[in-house]
Amino acid sequence: QIAKKHYAAHVVVVCSKRHQKLVDKMGADQLVDYTQPGWQEECEQLKDFDLVIDTVGLDDYWEVFGRRVLASKGRYVALHS
């Protein structure tokens, strides 16, 4: 909501489809369902993210987001321990 209001950002959320109503309510523009085959490729097609906030912290996420979809000056933020 902050990203959309203050920065006019296009917000993409990666989660399972069962959370679609919550994601919509929070104002996300797009959901990528990680339980479906090809979700990583779908993310790769959405290149040039300015910011990725990782609340899960799996190595696969870093491989996909950090190396393939961040913009040249994009930031990857991990919010897990």
Side-chain angles (χ1 to χ4, degrees):
Q1 293 169 338
I2 293 170
K4 290 180 67 69
K5 182 175 181 175
H6 296 287
Y7 302 101
H10 179 83
V11 176
V12 178
V13 175
V14 178
C15 65
S16 67
K17 187 79 170 173
R18 68 185 175 107
H19 296 296
Q20 181 77 54
K21 287 183 183 179
L22 175 62
V23 167
D24 291 343
K25 186 176 179 180
M26 294 178 69
D29 296 300
Q30 186 172 350
L31 181 144
V32 175
D33 185 350
Y34 72 90
T35 67
Q36 297 302 308
W39 74 271
Q40 293 174 331
E41 290 80 12
E42 185 176 350
C43 289
E44 288 174 4
Q45 292 175 4
L46 301 168
K47 287 187 181 277
D48 298 328
F49 283 94
D50 295 313
L51 176 65
V52 170
I53 300 173
D54 181 355
T55 61
V56 178
L58 300 175
D59 290 339
D60 290 347
Y61 283 66
W62 172 247
E63 184 65 31
V64 172
F65 293 120
R67 300 204 175 135
R68 297 188 202 141
V69 301
L70 279 178
S72 62
K73 294 188 179 185
R75 299 285 185 242
Y76 178 88
V77 178
L79 299 178
H80 53 85
S81 56

